[in-house]
Amino acid sequence: MKTSDQTGSSETITSDEMRALEQAAIASGRVTGLELMERAGKGVVEAIFEEWPELVKDKRRAVVLCGPGNNGGDGFVVARLLEKAGWGVETFLYGDAKKLPPDARVNYELWLGRGGVSKIEVCYSYRWASHPVVVDALFGIGMNRPLPDELRNILMATLNCRRVAVDIPSYVSSDTGDLMCPWPHYTGQNQLTVTFHRPKAGHVMADGAQVCGKVVVKDIGL
Ligand SMILES: NC(=O)C1=CN([C@@H]2O[C@H](COP(=O)(O)OP(=O)(O)OC[C@H]3O[C@@H](n4cnc5c(N)ncnc54)[C@H](O)[C@@H]3O)[C@@H](O)[C@H]2O)[C@H](O)CC1
Ligand SMILES: [K+]
């Protein structure tokens, strides 16, 4: 597993340490959660074009799978920035938009100004081959229980696409690298994982070291 680190250190941190850093930066007034989310989404889009430069010129199609928390919020930022770059973007939300945390809700609303959001159930019968990029923004460091079967099945159907995990694939524990659902171990190919500030243990340990594929660490100014 390669980590290309733009922040100068590949030392891993825990999800608690990451949350504490984010909260301290926000509490200091140096930055807002919304600014951190925008930087995270921008970092994901940068990493996509760095990893697959051939995608820069064409107007491509992407699917963004957004979850009920701030990882989903990052996904709505990615959707907006790709659409602004001329891509055709479809977003799907797992959960209730009305229950999104504030920063994610802002980015959900911002995205609504540019495109629709479908319920994740629509993905159950999706033809994925026509989408070169699928962004997994379902769960990040807040994942705290096994992935529901219906979400696992959707992610399994995307194995042949260029897959981009926001922060961490939604079936990997960010603190242990354990798989949070039955998942084939060989699936690191055409998988890009874009995380923020520092790699997490889940990117370099246990099964996470395989299934995270190429891990890129983006600085979000913490
Ligand atoms: N804090 C910030 O300002 C920033 C956060 N970033 C991104 O945010 C995520 C962490 O967001 P958080 O809301 O804490 O957690 P998640 O989005 O990962 O998910 C929480 C959400 O999902 C529910 N949940 C957890 N596990 C499951 C499951 N297995 N099945 C169903 N539902 C589940 C849980 O109850 C919550 O509702 C971080 O990874 C970053 O991507 C920004 O990057 C920077 C700013
Ligand atoms: K994710």
Side-chain angles (χ1 to χ4, degrees):
M1 187 283 306
K2 285 188 296 176
T3 303
S4 93
D5 192 308
Q6 305 184 343
T7 60
S9 156
S10 55
E11 190 188 328
T12 63
I13 58 172
T14 67
S15 53
D16 284 344
E17 286 167 335
M18 183 65 185
R19 268 187 282 268
L21 283 168
E22 285 168 354
Q23 290 319 317
I26 295 166
S28 73
R30 263 186 314 114
V31 71
T32 66
L34 211 48
E35 284 163 345
L36 288 175
M37 188 168 280
E38 190 73 17
R39 293 174 193 173
K42 189 165 166 294
V44 172
V45 173
E46 270 172 16
I48 289 172
F49 290 145
E50 287 158 1
E51 179 66 10
W52 297 299
E54 68 275 20
L55 296 181
V56 174
K57 61 185 185 312
D58 296 345
K59 302 288 175 250
R60 297 295 186 140
R61 297 185 57 71
V63 163
V64 184
L65 306 173
C66 296
N70 282 321
N71 195 246
D74 290 358
F76 284 117
V77 176
V78 173
R80 173 166 40 88
L81 298 180
L82 285 176
E83 198 271 345
K84 232 164 115 181
W87 284 42
V89 181
E90 288 179 80
T91 64
F92 297 87
L93 175 61
Y94 174 76
D96 180 352
K98 290 190 290 299
K99 294 185 184 146
L100 285 165
D103 296 343
R105 181 66 193 259
V106 167
N107 279 295
Y108 165 78
E109 302 285 352
L110 281 176
W111 166 252
L112 277 188
R114 307 182 82 97
V117 180
S118 306
K119 299 288 294 164
I120 198 93
E121 288 76 5
V122 172
C123 289
Y124 296 163
S125 56
Y126 222 69
R127 302 162 315 292
W128 293 100
S130 58
H131 288 81
V133 174
V134 177
V135 178
D136 163 11
L138 290 168
F139 305 111
I141 58 174
M143 184 184 54
N144 55 20
R145 51 193 189 274
L147 194 69
D149 285 348
E150 67 270 24
L151 297 183
R152 174 204 177 270
N153 296 338
I154 291 174
L155 291 173
M156 279 296 288
T158 70
L159 282 181
N160 295 326
C161 302
R162 287 182 180 91
R163 291 172 291 127
V164 183
V166 175
D167 213 359
I168 192 148
S170 296
Y171 40 87
V172 179
S173 157
S174 51
D175 286 332
T176 64
D178 292 338
L179 292 173
M180 301 299 280
C181 68
W183 189 264
H185 296 188
Y186 59 84
T187 58
Q189 82 288 357
N190 59 306
Q191 172 73 57
L192 171 67
T193 293
V194 189
T195 190
F196 315 112
H197 185 64
R198 291 278 186 284
K200 314 304 176 297
H203 295 122
V204 296
M205 282 171 65
D207 291 314
Q210 298 306 319
V211 300
C212 286
K214 177 169 181 189
V215 178
V216 171
V217 183
K218 286 287 182 182
D219 185 7
I220 56 173
L222 281 180

